[in-house]
Amino acid sequence: MSDAPRRILIVKPSSLGDVVHGLPVLGLLKRRWPEARVSWLVTPACAGLLQGHPLLEEVILFDRRRYGSAWRSLSAASALWRLCRELRERRFDLVIDLQGLFRSGWLARRTRAPRRIGFANARELGWLYYTDRVRLATMDEHAVSRNIRIAAALGCASRPVEFLFPDDESDAQSVREMVGGVDPYAVLMPGANWATKRWPAERFASLVGPLRKRFGLRCVVAGGPDAAEAARRIAGATDLTGRTSLRQLVALLRGAGLVIANDSGPMHIAAALGRPLVVVFGPTNPVRTGPFGRDDCVVRLDMPCSPCYSRRCSHTSCLGWLEAEAVLDRARDQLANPPSQA
């Protein structure tokens, strides 16, 4: 841009992992234009990762469920109209759509910003609403790298790639009280938004004893409501599922000696925090959505049907046949060579 933008909007409403993947763009924008006031449009479920962020001017909530019923609800339509009016009144100079869907492109257009940038291959014809389109040669590239290409198209540097989370000592103190002591702990995260991405709870349960005996780590199970049922089947671990806010979850993961997780949003937080990490992959592709820059964390079976990107499967062999010992071997490697020493 010939003139530095004064007000910038990042549109990346969800999901949790996607918001984490957008954080490096925020840092690169502020390095390029330190005086710019940056806002972020995000769903209430993910807002905890951004509220109080030192690089953000404000967090704008986008209630996707409510606005999605605008076509049949007068109150929802009125709320969506008010949101669009408020976006226009902020007079953004630049809108960056990292979501790449029809609704995110449409919202970018509603701001009436003179410059709106997104991916040329945005789904659902979202690209129609951009003034600038960034074309990708391939989709077999990590989501973080794709987002950085948009920052680079704006004249930002491509490095450093940093993941900054809001930090609060009160959250850290709450976590210390929840875990009940100062002993080193491992966080097990058996949840995932697809059933096909969940390693069996029995396998997570089989890790509790060996992690204590081999590595001196007691186990804590964390995650949202999707992990609660699995947590009940993991004997000998402290169950914190559904008890932590997002900021407390960040604090919990920041203090972990080891994190073992499925392909999920919290996994990306642990990866961004640089924790020793083991991630179990099945139907999805770690090249695209694995822990960024952490290929050594991934455990998966090389099967002809994986990755299939399917939410339904009659056998889930890619995870069902994955034994606990493979995960423990990778945990040993991670603890012997922690990321801070890489």
Side-chain angles (χ1 to χ4, degrees):
M1 299 180 70
S2 57
D3 297 318
R6 295 167 299 171
R7 300 212 63 178
I8 301 173
L9 175 65
I10 297 173
V11 180
K12 190 62 169 173
S14 61
S15 60
L16 190 60
D18 288 346
V19 173
V20 174
H21 293 158
L23 285 174
V25 173
L26 172 60
L28 295 172
L29 288 171
K30 290 295 286 184
R31 284 177 176 270
R32 176 77 170 87
W33 296 298
E35 301 302 319
R37 300 164 62 186
V38 184
S39 303
W40 194 308
L41 187 77
V42 69
T43 60
C46 298
L49 280 184
L50 300 174
Q51 288 166 335
H53 198 290
L55 300 183
L56 281 176
E57 174 75 17
E58 66 173 341
V59 173
I60 303 172
L61 297 182
F62 176 74
D63 191 339
R64 183 174 58 184
R65 288 187 177 181
R66 184 182 186 191
Y67 298 142
S69 62
W71 63 276
R72 56 182 171 83
S73 167
L74 181 59
S75 63
S78 298
L80 180 59
W81 180 85
R82 286 194 299 272
L83 173 65
C84 292
R85 183 189 63 192
E86 292 168 2
L87 292 175
R88 289 196 305 271
E89 290 174 348
R90 283 169 169 81
R91 299 185 180 276
F92 292 110
D93 306 294
L94 171 64
V95 176
I96 301 168
D97 181 12
L98 299 179
Q99 194 76 9
L101 295 173
F102 172 84
R103 64 173 174 268
S104 58
W106 183 84
L107 283 168
R109 180 66 181 86
R110 293 293 93 192
T111 67
R112 297 183 183 174
R115 193 174 190 188
R116 304 176 301 277
I117 189 169
F119 298 110
N121 62 338
R123 291 170 291 169
E124 303 170 355
L125 301 179
W127 53 269
L128 287 172
Y129 297 102
Y130 309 145
T131 61
D132 297 57
R133 303 179 183 99
V134 177
R135 187 168 300 279
L136 301 174
T138 176
M139 287 300 294
D140 284 330
E141 185 177 35
H142 197 280
V144 172
S145 299
R146 296 199 300 269
N147 291 339
I148 290 174
R149 290 188 182 278
I150 285 188
L154 292 169
C156 299
S158 297
R159 294 289 186 272
V161 179
E162 297 175 322
F163 300 87
L164 179 62
F165 298 94
D167 198 6
D168 192 323
E169 175 56 30
S170 64
D171 294 320
Q173 178 59 35
S174 297
V175 165
R176 285 192 288 269
E177 294 172 0
M178 289 180 192
V179 299
V182 295
D183 293 342
Y185 59 87
V187 176
L188 308 181
M189 293 192 290
N193 57 353
W194 301 0
T196 52
K197 294 199 292 186
R198 298 173 195 159
W199 196 41
E202 293 77 13
R203 300 290 168 79
F204 275 101
S206 69
L207 301 175
V208 175
L211 287 175
R212 184 68 164 181
K213 183 176 181 180
R214 300 183 195 180
F215 311 120
L217 296 170
R218 59 194 179 92
C219 289
V220 174
V221 187
D226 62 305
E229 180 182 351
R232 288 192 289 269
R233 297 155 63 186
I234 303 177
T238 302
D239 182 5
L240 297 184
T241 55
R243 293 178 54 192
T244 59
S245 66
L246 264 182
R247 289 172 67 119
Q248 290 170 341
L249 178 61
V250 172
L252 177 70
L253 295 172
R254 194 189 300 274
L258 174 69
V259 178
I260 300 177
N262 294 320
D263 176 16
S264 62
M267 173 274 287
H268 292 293
I269 298 176
L273 290 170
R275 305 315 304 148
L277 174 65
V278 181
V279 188
V280 177
F281 265 80
T284 49
N285 187 350
V287 173
R288 296 185 184 181
T289 59
F292 181 69
R294 306 279 304 276
D295 296 343
D296 58 315
C297 299
V298 174
V299 176
R300 64 185 295 270
L301 294 178
D302 188 12
M303 300 187 66
C305 60
S306 173
C308 64
Y309 305 104
S310 177
R311 295 171 182 253
R312 295 183 179 181
C313 181
S314 61
H315 55 87
T316 59
S317 302
C318 59
L319 292 178
W321 292 355
L322 183 62
E323 298 293 339
E325 202 58 39
V327 172
L328 290 167
D329 287 345
R330 189 57 53 89
R332 179 199 61 218
D333 296 340
Q334 284 287 300
L335 291 169
N337 301 284
S340 60
Q341 299 175 12

